[in-house]
Amino acid sequence: MREAPWTLAVAGKGGTGKTTVAALLVEELRGCGPVLAVDADPNCNLGEALGIPVRRTIGQMRDEILEKLGDLPPGVSKEQLLELGLHECLVEDEGVDLLAMGHGEGPRCYCMVNHVLRRCVEILRRNYRYVVLDNEAGMEHLSRRTTQDVDVLLIVAEPNPVSLRSARRISQIVEDLKLRVSRTFLVLNKAGEDFSGDVGIPVLGRIPYDPEVERLWAGGRPLRELSPFSPARLAVKKLLEKLQQRRHDACP
Ligand SMILES: Nc1ncnc2c1ncn2[C@@H]1O[C@H](COP(=O)(O)OP(=O)(O)OP(=O)(O)O)[C@@H](O)[C@H]1O
Ligand SMILES: [Mg+2]
């Protein structure tokens, strides 16, 4: 069996650039081995950033399974239905497959959909070399343990006190909940070179403000259209290189 995939997760306060960072990581890893991109934000938009249209979310699948539960033919388990439905949720693109959480209807839905998403990732992950997980804003995904079995957690923050405080809280909760996260780093996004100060989380690096990123988002265009010299693209490439050096696993 293939060794466990290298799993990177992105977290942070709302609007700090989590999806941007996740999408740029996926673009860098494309071609280095199969990548599973997981949009674990119920309000999904990783597909948009990657230019991969989502047909069906885990939330929609869960609702359909619940509707069919009463008419399941004998011998067909909920788990089998899940595996069947899962492949319909997985969108295949060149070097990258995308799975989007979305949300379902009804009470307690987020917890249930989170549970199904965790199970889906468990089933799928062994087929990939890399897994990149884009999380919703805040900390709910931590307490629901969607961010689990992660090699590297990148907490994205803008260089302002509110965003940095939020980053610190996220890092603290990861410790308190004893989540299986091997290493946590801070990534400063939309940041100038003048940032200094100790946030209590090792800083992996910074991504400068890049007007091209903003323009593509505003136009609903995928981030792979960024020029090869885009400062944000180059910065994420550098972050990934640093991580790979530490992992002794350079992309072939
Ligand atoms: N380095 C950057 N340079 C310029 N604009 C950026 C940069 N990173 C992100 N942005 C802009 O910030 C906005 C929010 O980015 P993004 O959607 O990646 O954040 P998020 O943390 O995923 O948000 P949410 O919490 O809503 O999921 C986007 O409109 C994007 O244009
Ligand atoms: Mg996002």
PDB file of all heavy atoms in Angstrom, residues 12-22 24 41 43 45 134-138 156 158 189-191 207-218 223 232, ligand 1:
ATOM      1  N   GLY A  12      -7.569  29.693   9.943  1.00  0.00           N
ATOM      2  CA  GLY A  12      -7.379  31.122  10.231  1.00  0.00           C
ATOM      3  C   GLY A  12      -8.707  31.845  10.349  1.00  0.00           C
ATOM      4  O   GLY A  12      -9.772  31.273  10.106  1.00  0.00           O
ATOM      5  N   LYS A  13      -8.608  33.097  10.708  1.00  0.00           N
ATOM      6  CA  LYS A  13      -9.793  33.954  10.850  1.00  0.00           C
ATOM      7  C   LYS A  13     -10.418  34.189   9.474  1.00  0.00           C
ATOM      8  O   LYS A  13      -9.752  34.011   8.455  1.00  0.00           O
ATOM      9  CB  LYS A  13      -9.303  35.277  11.457  1.00  0.00           C
ATOM     10  CG  LYS A  13     -10.380  36.194  11.942  1.00  0.00           C
ATOM     11  CD  LYS A  13      -9.709  37.392  12.586  1.00  0.00           C
ATOM     12  CE  LYS A  13     -10.590  38.605  12.702  1.00  0.00           C
ATOM     13  NZ  LYS A  13     -11.974  38.495  12.450  1.00  0.00           N
ATOM     14  N   GLY A  14     -11.667  34.637   9.462  1.00  0.00           N
ATOM     15  CA  GLY A  14     -12.376  34.879   8.204  1.00  0.00           C
ATOM     16  C   GLY A  14     -11.663  35.888   7.314  1.00  0.00           C
ATOM     17  O   GLY A  14     -11.181  36.911   7.793  1.00  0.00           O
ATOM     18  N   GLY A  15     -11.569  35.569   6.056  1.00  0.00           N
ATOM     19  CA  GLY A  15     -11.071  36.512   5.048  1.00  0.00           C
ATOM     20  C   GLY A  15      -9.562  36.741   5.052  1.00  0.00           C
ATOM     21  O   GLY A  15      -9.070  37.620   4.342  1.00  0.00           O
ATOM     22  N   THR A  16      -8.819  35.942   5.814  1.00  0.00           N
ATOM     23  CA  THR A  16      -7.368  36.196   5.885  1.00  0.00           C
ATOM     24  C   THR A  16      -6.617  35.679   4.648  1.00  0.00           C
ATOM     25  O   THR A  16      -5.478  36.065   4.405  1.00  0.00           O
ATOM     26  CB  THR A  16      -6.743  35.516   7.132  1.00  0.00           C
ATOM     27  OG1 THR A  16      -7.200  34.158   7.168  1.00  0.00           O
ATOM     28  CG2 THR A  16      -7.140  36.216   8.410  1.00  0.00           C
ATOM     29  N   GLY A  17      -7.274  34.764   3.906  1.00  0.00           N
ATOM     30  CA  GLY A  17      -6.618  34.242   2.696  1.00  0.00           C
ATOM     31  C   GLY A  17      -6.406  32.736   2.732  1.00  0.00           C
ATOM     32  O   GLY A  17      -5.570  32.205   2.000  1.00  0.00           O
ATOM     33  N   LYS A  18      -7.186  32.028   3.552  1.00  0.00           N
ATOM     34  CA  LYS A  18      -7.034  30.562   3.675  1.00  0.00           C
ATOM     35  C   LYS A  18      -7.218  29.862   2.327  1.00  0.00           C
ATOM     36  O   LYS A  18      -6.407  29.040   1.919  1.00  0.00           O
ATOM     37  CB  LYS A  18      -8.070  29.993   4.666  1.00  0.00           C
ATOM     38  CG  LYS A  18      -7.949  30.509   6.064  1.00  0.00           C
ATOM     39  CD  LYS A  18      -9.067  29.999   6.948  1.00  0.00           C
ATOM     40  CE  LYS A  18     -10.433  30.555   6.602  1.00  0.00           C
ATOM     41  NZ  LYS A  18     -10.552  32.015   6.742  1.00  0.00           N
ATOM     42  N   THR A  19      -8.316  30.222   1.655  1.00  0.00           N
ATOM     43  CA  THR A  19      -8.612  29.538   0.391  1.00  0.00           C
ATOM     44  C   THR A  19      -7.568  29.891  -0.665  1.00  0.00           C
ATOM     45  O   THR A  19      -7.157  29.044  -1.456  1.00  0.00           O
ATOM     46  CB  THR A  19     -10.043  29.900  -0.079  1.00  0.00           C
ATOM     47  OG1 THR A  19     -10.942  29.570   0.978  1.00  0.00           O
ATOM     48  CG2 THR A  19     -10.439  29.144  -1.325  1.00  0.00           C
ATOM     49  N   THR A  20      -7.117  31.127  -0.640  1.00  0.00           N
ATOM     50  CA  THR A  20      -6.066  31.545  -1.584  1.00  0.00           C
ATOM     51  C   THR A  20      -4.812  30.703  -1.362  1.00  0.00           C
ATOM     52  O   THR A  20      -4.232  30.163  -2.305  1.00  0.00           O
ATOM     53  CB  THR A  20      -5.748  33.052  -1.364  1.00  0.00           C
ATOM     54  OG1 THR A  20      -6.950  33.792  -1.556  1.00  0.00           O
ATOM     55  CG2 THR A  20      -4.674  33.541  -2.305  1.00  0.00           C
ATOM     56  N   VAL A  21      -4.416  30.568  -0.089  1.00  0.00           N
ATOM     57  CA  VAL A  21      -3.202  29.802   0.222  1.00  0.00           C
ATOM     58  C   VAL A  21      -3.406  28.327  -0.148  1.00  0.00           C
ATOM     59  O   VAL A  21      -2.543  27.702  -0.782  1.00  0.00           O
ATOM     60  CB  VAL A  21      -2.825  29.956   1.716  1.00  0.00           C
ATOM     61  CG1 VAL A  21      -1.689  29.029   2.102  1.00  0.00           C
ATOM     62  CG2 VAL A  21      -2.445  31.406   2.010  1.00  0.00           C
ATOM     63  N   ALA A  22      -4.572  27.780   0.219  1.00  0.00           N
ATOM     64  CA  ALA A  22      -4.833  26.362  -0.087  1.00  0.00           C
ATOM     65  C   ALA A  22      -4.773  26.136  -1.604  1.00  0.00           C
ATOM     66  O   ALA A  22      -4.146  25.185  -2.076  1.00  0.00           O
ATOM     67  CB  ALA A  22      -6.190  25.944   0.470  1.00  0.00           C
ATOM     68  N   LEU A  24      -3.244  27.915  -3.910  1.00  0.00           N
ATOM     69  CA  LEU A  24      -1.891  28.080  -4.460  1.00  0.00           C
ATOM     70  C   LEU A  24      -1.006  26.887  -4.088  1.00  0.00           C
ATOM     71  O   LEU A  24      -0.146  26.480  -4.875  1.00  0.00           O
ATOM     72  CB  LEU A  24      -1.279  29.408  -4.004  1.00  0.00           C
ATOM     73  CG  LEU A  24      -1.961  30.649  -4.621  1.00  0.00           C
ATOM     74  CD1 LEU A  24      -1.371  31.926  -4.050  1.00  0.00           C
ATOM     75  CD2 LEU A  24      -1.828  30.657  -6.145  1.00  0.00           C
ATOM     76  N   ASP A  41     -15.014  23.839   3.982  1.00  0.00           N
ATOM     77  CA  ASP A  41     -15.800  25.023   4.357  1.00  0.00           C
ATOM     78  C   ASP A  41     -17.206  24.819   3.796  1.00  0.00           C
ATOM     79  O   ASP A  41     -17.358  24.650   2.583  1.00  0.00           O
ATOM     80  CB  ASP A  41     -15.137  26.268   3.744  1.00  0.00           C
ATOM     81  CG  ASP A  41     -15.826  27.548   4.186  1.00  0.00           C
ATOM     82  OD1 ASP A  41     -16.933  27.469   4.763  1.00  0.00           O
ATOM     83  OD2 ASP A  41     -15.258  28.625   3.934  1.00  0.00           O
ATOM     84  N   ASN A  43     -19.353  26.786   3.156  1.00  0.00           N
ATOM     85  CA  ASN A  43     -19.622  27.820   2.161  1.00  0.00           C
ATOM     86  C   ASN A  43     -18.518  27.727   1.089  1.00  0.00           C
ATOM     87  O   ASN A  43     -17.696  28.604   0.938  1.00  0.00           O
ATOM     88  CB  ASN A  43     -19.594  29.162   2.890  1.00  0.00           C
ATOM     89  CG  ASN A  43     -19.864  30.314   1.973  1.00  0.00           C
ATOM     90  OD1 ASN A  43     -20.420  30.125   0.896  1.00  0.00           O
ATOM     91  ND2 ASN A  43     -19.437  31.492   2.371  1.00  0.00           N
ATOM     92  N   ASN A  45     -15.678  27.493  -1.665  1.00  0.00           N
ATOM     93  CA  ASN A  45     -15.208  28.229  -2.837  1.00  0.00           C
ATOM     94  C   ASN A  45     -13.791  27.849  -3.269  1.00  0.00           C
ATOM     95  O   ASN A  45     -13.210  28.511  -4.110  1.00  0.00           O
ATOM     96  CB  ASN A  45     -15.347  29.756  -2.663  1.00  0.00           C
ATOM     97  CG  ASN A  45     -14.565  30.258  -1.475  1.00  0.00           C
ATOM     98  OD1 ASN A  45     -13.917  29.487  -0.779  1.00  0.00           O
ATOM     99  ND2 ASN A  45     -14.614  31.548  -1.232  1.00  0.00           N
ATOM    100  N   ASP A 134      -8.777  22.869   3.008  1.00  0.00           N
ATOM    101  CA  ASP A 134      -9.117  24.283   3.242  1.00  0.00           C
ATOM    102  C   ASP A 134     -10.273  24.331   4.240  1.00  0.00           C
ATOM    103  O   ASP A 134     -11.332  23.765   3.985  1.00  0.00           O
ATOM    104  CB  ASP A 134      -9.547  24.925   1.911  1.00  0.00           C
ATOM    105  CG  ASP A 134      -9.978  26.378   2.088  1.00  0.00           C
ATOM    106  OD1 ASP A 134      -9.500  27.035   3.019  1.00  0.00           O
ATOM    107  OD2 ASP A 134     -10.804  26.848   1.266  1.00  0.00           O
ATOM    108  N   ASN A 135     -10.063  24.993   5.357  1.00  0.00           N
ATOM    109  CA  ASN A 135     -11.081  25.002   6.410  1.00  0.00           C
ATOM    110  C   ASN A 135     -11.924  26.263   6.404  1.00  0.00           C
ATOM    111  O   ASN A 135     -11.532  27.290   5.864  1.00  0.00           O
ATOM    112  CB  ASN A 135     -10.411  24.870   7.768  1.00  0.00           C
ATOM    113  CG  ASN A 135      -9.954  23.450   8.024  1.00  0.00           C
ATOM    114  OD1 ASN A 135     -10.767  22.532   8.061  1.00  0.00           O
ATOM    115  ND2 ASN A 135      -8.654  23.265   8.155  1.00  0.00           N
ATOM    116  N   GLU A 136     -13.058  26.152   7.082  1.00  0.00           N
ATOM    117  CA  GLU A 136     -13.895  27.337   7.278  1.00  0.00           C
ATOM    118  C   GLU A 136     -13.190  28.256   8.287  1.00  0.00           C
ATOM    119  O   GLU A 136     -12.282  27.832   9.014  1.00  0.00           O
ATOM    120  CB  GLU A 136     -15.269  26.927   7.796  1.00  0.00           C
ATOM    121  CG  GLU A 136     -15.241  26.358   9.191  1.00  0.00           C
ATOM    122  CD  GLU A 136     -16.585  25.820   9.645  1.00  0.00           C
ATOM    123  OE1 GLU A 136     -17.542  26.601   9.681  1.00  0.00           O
ATOM    124  OE2 GLU A 136     -16.660  24.633   9.980  1.00  0.00           O
ATOM    125  N   ALA A 137     -13.652  29.503   8.326  1.00  0.00           N
ATOM    126  CA  ALA A 137     -13.060  30.472   9.251  1.00  0.00           C
ATOM    127  C   ALA A 137     -13.317  30.044  10.693  1.00  0.00           C
ATOM    128  O   ALA A 137     -14.308  29.382  10.983  1.00  0.00           O
ATOM    129  CB  ALA A 137     -13.678  31.843   9.002  1.00  0.00           C
ATOM    130  N   GLY A 138     -12.411  30.429  11.578  1.00  0.00           N
ATOM    131  CA  GLY A 138     -12.651  30.213  12.999  1.00  0.00           C
ATOM    132  C   GLY A 138     -12.151  28.875  13.482  1.00  0.00           C
ATOM    133  O   GLY A 138     -11.160  28.351  12.975  1.00  0.00           O
ATOM    134  N   VAL A 156      -3.243  31.006   8.756  1.00  0.00           N
ATOM    135  CA  VAL A 156      -3.043  32.209   7.948  1.00  0.00           C
ATOM    136  C   VAL A 156      -3.575  33.408   8.710  1.00  0.00           C
ATOM    137  O   VAL A 156      -4.694  33.377   9.243  1.00  0.00           O
ATOM    138  CB  VAL A 156      -3.787  32.090   6.589  1.00  0.00           C
ATOM    139  CG1 VAL A 156      -3.548  33.318   5.729  1.00  0.00           C
ATOM    140  CG2 VAL A 156      -3.345  30.826   5.849  1.00  0.00           C
ATOM    141  N   GLU A 158      -3.447  37.945   8.869  1.00  0.00           N
ATOM    142  CA  GLU A 158      -2.965  39.227   8.358  1.00  0.00           C
ATOM    143  C   GLU A 158      -2.180  39.880   9.499  1.00  0.00           C
ATOM    144  O   GLU A 158      -2.441  39.595  10.680  1.00  0.00           O
ATOM    145  CB  GLU A 158      -4.144  40.089   7.916  1.00  0.00           C
ATOM    146  CG  GLU A 158      -4.820  39.493   6.696  1.00  0.00           C
ATOM    147  CD  GLU A 158      -6.047  40.287   6.266  1.00  0.00           C
ATOM    148  OE1 GLU A 158      -5.948  41.510   6.102  1.00  0.00           O
ATOM    149  OE2 GLU A 158      -7.102  39.667   6.119  1.00  0.00           O
ATOM    150  N   ASN A 189      -0.225  36.769   5.650  1.00  0.00           N
ATOM    151  CA  ASN A 189      -0.701  37.054   4.294  1.00  0.00           C
ATOM    152  C   ASN A 189      -0.994  38.546   4.149  1.00  0.00           C
ATOM    153  O   ASN A 189      -1.333  39.210   5.123  1.00  0.00           O
ATOM    154  CB  ASN A 189      -1.959  36.228   4.000  1.00  0.00           C
ATOM    155  CG  ASN A 189      -2.364  36.324   2.542  1.00  0.00           C
ATOM    156  OD1 ASN A 189      -1.527  36.594   1.663  1.00  0.00           O
ATOM    157  ND2 ASN A 189      -3.639  36.110   2.255  1.00  0.00           N
ATOM    158  N   LYS A 190      -0.869  39.029   2.925  1.00  0.00           N
ATOM    159  CA  LYS A 190      -1.075  40.446   2.596  1.00  0.00           C
ATOM    160  C   LYS A 190      -0.144  41.267   3.509  1.00  0.00           C
ATOM    161  O   LYS A 190      -0.566  42.264   4.100  1.00  0.00           O
ATOM    162  CB  LYS A 190      -2.535  40.869   2.796  1.00  0.00           C
ATOM    163  CG  LYS A 190      -3.558  39.954   2.109  1.00  0.00           C
ATOM    164  CD  LYS A 190      -4.982  40.379   2.402  1.00  0.00           C
ATOM    165  CE  LYS A 190      -5.959  39.238   2.249  1.00  0.00           C
ATOM    166  NZ  LYS A 190      -7.341  39.531   2.585  1.00  0.00           N
ATOM    167  N   ALA A 191       1.069  40.783   3.650  1.00  0.00           N
ATOM    168  CA  ALA A 191       1.979  41.342   4.654  1.00  0.00           C
ATOM    169  C   ALA A 191       3.192  41.990   4.014  1.00  0.00           C
ATOM    170  O   ALA A 191       3.770  41.440   3.071  1.00  0.00           O
ATOM    171  CB  ALA A 191       2.431  40.227   5.599  1.00  0.00           C
ATOM    172  N   ILE A 207       3.316  36.224   2.685  1.00  0.00           N
ATOM    173  CA  ILE A 207       2.848  36.361   1.304  1.00  0.00           C
ATOM    174  C   ILE A 207       2.473  37.823   1.136  1.00  0.00           C
ATOM    175  O   ILE A 207       1.675  38.350   1.925  1.00  0.00           O
ATOM    176  CB  ILE A 207       1.616  35.462   1.055  1.00  0.00           C
ATOM    177  CG1 ILE A 207       1.946  33.999   1.397  1.00  0.00           C
ATOM    178  CG2 ILE A 207       1.116  35.596  -0.375  1.00  0.00           C
ATOM    179  CD1 ILE A 207       0.741  33.075   1.397  1.00  0.00           C
ATOM    180  N   PRO A 208       3.042  38.494   0.151  1.00  0.00           N
ATOM    181  CA  PRO A 208       2.728  39.916   0.023  1.00  0.00           C
ATOM    182  C   PRO A 208       1.327  40.142  -0.556  1.00  0.00           C
ATOM    183  O   PRO A 208       0.746  39.226  -1.142  1.00  0.00           O
ATOM    184  CB  PRO A 208       3.790  40.420  -0.974  1.00  0.00           C
ATOM    185  CG  PRO A 208       4.209  39.226  -1.736  1.00  0.00           C
ATOM    186  CD  PRO A 208       4.009  38.031  -0.853  1.00  0.00           C
ATOM    187  N   TYR A 209       0.840  41.327  -0.378  1.00  0.00           N
ATOM    188  CA  TYR A 209      -0.405  41.708  -1.049  1.00  0.00           C
ATOM    189  C   TYR A 209      -0.120  41.678  -2.552  1.00  0.00           C
ATOM    190  O   TYR A 209       0.878  42.216  -3.011  1.00  0.00           O
ATOM    191  CB  TYR A 209      -0.844  43.114  -0.593  1.00  0.00           C
ATOM    192  CG  TYR A 209      -2.046  43.560  -1.372  1.00  0.00           C
ATOM    193  CD1 TYR A 209      -3.320  43.138  -1.003  1.00  0.00           C
ATOM    194  CD2 TYR A 209      -1.911  44.349  -2.518  1.00  0.00           C
ATOM    195  CE1 TYR A 209      -4.425  43.496  -1.750  1.00  0.00           C
ATOM    196  CE2 TYR A 209      -3.016  44.709  -3.256  1.00  0.00           C
ATOM    197  CZ  TYR A 209      -4.260  44.272  -2.867  1.00  0.00           C
ATOM    198  OH  TYR A 209      -5.348  44.606  -3.616  1.00  0.00           O
ATOM    199  N   ASP A 210      -1.003  41.033  -3.312  1.00  0.00           N
ATOM    200  CA  ASP A 210      -0.782  40.864  -4.741  1.00  0.00           C
ATOM    201  C   ASP A 210      -2.068  41.254  -5.479  1.00  0.00           C
ATOM    202  O   ASP A 210      -3.074  40.527  -5.420  1.00  0.00           O
ATOM    203  CB  ASP A 210      -0.424  39.388  -4.997  1.00  0.00           C
ATOM    204  CG  ASP A 210      -0.111  39.096  -6.453  1.00  0.00           C
ATOM    205  OD1 ASP A 210      -0.470  39.914  -7.318  1.00  0.00           O
ATOM    206  OD2 ASP A 210       0.484  38.034  -6.711  1.00  0.00           O
ATOM    207  N   PRO A 211      -2.056  42.392  -6.148  1.00  0.00           N
ATOM    208  CA  PRO A 211      -3.293  42.863  -6.785  1.00  0.00           C
ATOM    209  C   PRO A 211      -3.855  41.885  -7.820  1.00  0.00           C
ATOM    210  O   PRO A 211      -5.066  41.836  -8.048  1.00  0.00           O
ATOM    211  CB  PRO A 211      -2.882  44.184  -7.462  1.00  0.00           C
ATOM    212  CG  PRO A 211      -1.406  44.296  -7.325  1.00  0.00           C
ATOM    213  CD  PRO A 211      -0.933  43.314  -6.320  1.00  0.00           C
ATOM    214  N   GLU A 212      -2.975  41.070  -8.397  1.00  0.00           N
ATOM    215  CA  GLU A 212      -3.456  40.098  -9.387  1.00  0.00           C
ATOM    216  C   GLU A 212      -4.366  39.059  -8.731  1.00  0.00           C
ATOM    217  O   GLU A 212      -5.320  38.576  -9.344  1.00  0.00           O
ATOM    218  CB  GLU A 212      -2.232  39.411  -9.998  1.00  0.00           C
ATOM    219  CG  GLU A 212      -2.343  39.193 -11.499  1.00  0.00           C
ATOM    220  CD  GLU A 212      -1.196  38.329 -12.013  1.00  0.00           C
ATOM    221  OE1 GLU A 212      -0.057  38.471 -11.499  1.00  0.00           O
ATOM    222  OE2 GLU A 212      -1.454  37.510 -12.917  1.00  0.00           O
ATOM    223  N   VAL A 213      -4.056  38.701  -7.483  1.00  0.00           N
ATOM    224  CA  VAL A 213      -4.892  37.735  -6.743  1.00  0.00           C
ATOM    225  C   VAL A 213      -6.286  38.335  -6.574  1.00  0.00           C
ATOM    226  O   VAL A 213      -7.303  37.701  -6.859  1.00  0.00           O
ATOM    227  CB  VAL A 213      -4.278  37.426  -5.350  1.00  0.00           C
ATOM    228  CG1 VAL A 213      -5.245  36.660  -4.472  1.00  0.00           C
ATOM    229  CG2 VAL A 213      -2.967  36.669  -5.500  1.00  0.00           C
ATOM    230  N   GLU A 214      -6.309  39.562  -6.144  1.00  0.00           N
ATOM    231  CA  GLU A 214      -7.583  40.249  -5.904  1.00  0.00           C
ATOM    232  C   GLU A 214      -8.389  40.347  -7.207  1.00  0.00           C
ATOM    233  O   GLU A 214      -9.594  40.104  -7.232  1.00  0.00           O
ATOM    234  CB  GLU A 214      -7.266  41.644  -5.366  1.00  0.00           C
ATOM    235  CG  GLU A 214      -8.500  42.424  -4.993  1.00  0.00           C
ATOM    236  CD  GLU A 214      -8.442  42.875  -3.546  1.00  0.00           C
ATOM    237  OE1 GLU A 214      -7.428  43.487  -3.174  1.00  0.00           O
ATOM    238  OE2 GLU A 214      -9.413  42.610  -2.820  1.00  0.00           O
ATOM    239  N   ARG A 215      -7.710  40.656  -8.286  1.00  0.00           N
ATOM    240  CA  ARG A 215      -8.377  40.832  -9.587  1.00  0.00           C
ATOM    241  C   ARG A 215      -8.988  39.506 -10.048  1.00  0.00           C
ATOM    242  O   ARG A 215     -10.122  39.456 -10.514  1.00  0.00           O
ATOM    243  CB  ARG A 215      -7.348  41.344 -10.612  1.00  0.00           C
ATOM    244  CG  ARG A 215      -7.918  41.744 -11.950  1.00  0.00           C
ATOM    245  CD  ARG A 215      -6.844  42.316 -12.876  1.00  0.00           C
ATOM    246  NE  ARG A 215      -5.698  41.424 -13.056  1.00  0.00           N
ATOM    247  CZ  ARG A 215      -5.696  40.338 -13.826  1.00  0.00           C
ATOM    248  NH1 ARG A 215      -6.772  40.002 -14.497  1.00  0.00           N
ATOM    249  NH2 ARG A 215      -4.608  39.588 -13.924  1.00  0.00           N
ATOM    250  N   LEU A 216      -8.250  38.404  -9.880  1.00  0.00           N
ATOM    251  CA  LEU A 216      -8.774  37.108 -10.326  1.00  0.00           C
ATOM    252  C   LEU A 216      -9.984  36.713  -9.490  1.00  0.00           C
ATOM    253  O   LEU A 216     -11.003  36.273 -10.017  1.00  0.00           O
ATOM    254  CB  LEU A 216      -7.686  36.030 -10.258  1.00  0.00           C
ATOM    255  CG  LEU A 216      -6.602  36.146 -11.327  1.00  0.00           C
ATOM    256  CD1 LEU A 216      -5.501  35.114 -11.093  1.00  0.00           C
ATOM    257  CD2 LEU A 216      -7.173  35.954 -12.735  1.00  0.00           C
ATOM    258  N   TRP A 217      -9.878  36.867  -8.166  1.00  0.00           N
ATOM    259  CA  TRP A 217     -11.020  36.548  -7.294  1.00  0.00           C
ATOM    260  C   TRP A 217     -12.234  37.367  -7.716  1.00  0.00           C
ATOM    261  O   TRP A 217     -13.338  36.845  -7.831  1.00  0.00           O
ATOM    262  CB  TRP A 217     -10.692  36.847  -5.831  1.00  0.00           C
ATOM    263  CG  TRP A 217     -10.128  35.711  -5.028  1.00  0.00           C
ATOM    264  CD1 TRP A 217      -8.877  35.654  -4.493  1.00  0.00           C
ATOM    265  CD2 TRP A 217     -10.775  34.492  -4.636  1.00  0.00           C
ATOM    266  NE1 TRP A 217      -8.712  34.478  -3.798  1.00  0.00           N
ATOM    267  CE2 TRP A 217      -9.857  33.746  -3.862  1.00  0.00           C
ATOM    268  CE3 TRP A 217     -12.037  33.950  -4.865  1.00  0.00           C
ATOM    269  CZ2 TRP A 217     -10.166  32.505  -3.316  1.00  0.00           C
ATOM    270  CZ3 TRP A 217     -12.341  32.706  -4.314  1.00  0.00           C
ATOM    271  CH2 TRP A 217     -11.415  32.006  -3.556  1.00  0.00           C
ATOM    272  N   ALA A 218     -12.003  38.661  -7.907  1.00  0.00           N
ATOM    273  CA  ALA A 218     -13.128  39.566  -8.224  1.00  0.00           C
ATOM    274  C   ALA A 218     -13.786  39.168  -9.544  1.00  0.00           C
ATOM    275  O   ALA A 218     -14.997  39.308  -9.706  1.00  0.00           O
ATOM    276  CB  ALA A 218     -12.632  41.008  -8.280  1.00  0.00           C
ATOM    277  N   LEU A 223      -7.066  30.814  -9.778  1.00  0.00           N
ATOM    278  CA  LEU A 223      -5.760  31.398  -9.429  1.00  0.00           C
ATOM    279  C   LEU A 223      -4.613  30.810 -10.252  1.00  0.00           C
ATOM    280  O   LEU A 223      -3.518  31.354 -10.250  1.00  0.00           O
ATOM    281  CB  LEU A 223      -5.485  31.217  -7.932  1.00  0.00           C
ATOM    282  CG  LEU A 223      -6.441  31.976  -7.008  1.00  0.00           C
ATOM    283  CD1 LEU A 223      -6.083  31.738  -5.548  1.00  0.00           C
ATOM    284  CD2 LEU A 223      -6.416  33.479  -7.292  1.00  0.00           C
ATOM    285  N   ALA A 232       2.471  36.558  -5.029  1.00  0.00           N
ATOM    286  CA  ALA A 232       1.803  35.612  -4.127  1.00  0.00           C
ATOM    287  C   ALA A 232       2.153  34.185  -4.523  1.00  0.00           C
ATOM    288  O   ALA A 232       2.460  33.340  -3.672  1.00  0.00           O
ATOM    289  CB  ALA A 232       0.301  35.823  -4.156  1.00  0.00           C
TER     290      ALA A 232
HETATM  291  N1  LIG B   1      -1.992  37.836  -1.010  1.00  0.00           N
HETATM  292  C1  LIG B   1      -3.112  38.443  -1.370  1.00  0.00           C
HETATM  293  N2  LIG B   1      -3.065  39.594  -2.086  1.00  0.00           N
HETATM  294  C2  LIG B   1      -4.199  40.239  -2.423  1.00  0.00           C
HETATM  295  N3  LIG B   1      -5.421  39.844  -2.106  1.00  0.00           N
HETATM  296  C3  LIG B   1      -5.536  38.709  -1.397  1.00  0.00           C
HETATM  297  C4  LIG B   1      -4.398  37.949  -0.993  1.00  0.00           C
HETATM  298  N4  LIG B   1      -4.837  36.859  -0.312  1.00  0.00           N
HETATM  299  C5  LIG B   1      -6.185  36.940  -0.298  1.00  0.00           C
HETATM  300  N5  LIG B   1      -6.601  38.044  -0.930  1.00  0.00           N
HETATM  301  C6  LIG B   1      -7.982  38.535  -1.094  1.00  0.00           C
HETATM  302  O1  LIG B   1      -8.651  38.380   0.143  1.00  0.00           O
HETATM  303  C7  LIG B   1      -9.964  37.893  -0.063  1.00  0.00           C
HETATM  304  C8  LIG B   1     -10.202  36.736   0.882  1.00  0.00           C
HETATM  305  O2  LIG B   1      -9.361  35.671   0.494  1.00  0.00           O
HETATM  306  P1  LIG B   1      -9.781  34.165   0.753  1.00  0.00           P
HETATM  307  O3  LIG B   1     -11.125  33.883   0.201  1.00  0.00           O
HETATM  308  O4  LIG B   1      -8.637  33.329   0.310  1.00  0.00           O
HETATM  309  O5  LIG B   1      -9.863  34.204   2.337  1.00  0.00           O
HETATM  310  P2  LIG B   1     -10.472  33.098   3.314  1.00  0.00           P
HETATM  311  O6  LIG B   1      -9.690  33.190   4.560  1.00  0.00           O
HETATM  312  O7  LIG B   1     -10.509  31.785   2.639  1.00  0.00           O
HETATM  313  O8  LIG B   1     -11.948  33.643   3.518  1.00  0.00           O
HETATM  314  P3  LIG B   1     -13.165  32.890   4.239  1.00  0.00           P
HETATM  315  O9  LIG B   1     -12.909  33.004   5.711  1.00  0.00           O
HETATM  316  O10 LIG B   1     -14.364  33.644   3.793  1.00  0.00           O
HETATM  317  O11 LIG B   1     -13.140  31.459   3.783  1.00  0.00           O
HETATM  318  C9  LIG B   1     -10.094  37.486  -1.532  1.00  0.00           C
HETATM  319  O12 LIG B   1     -11.023  38.312  -2.137  1.00  0.00           O
HETATM  320  C10 LIG B   1      -8.738  37.719  -2.142  1.00  0.00           C
HETATM  321  O13 LIG B   1      -8.816  38.509  -3.285  1.00  0.00           O
END
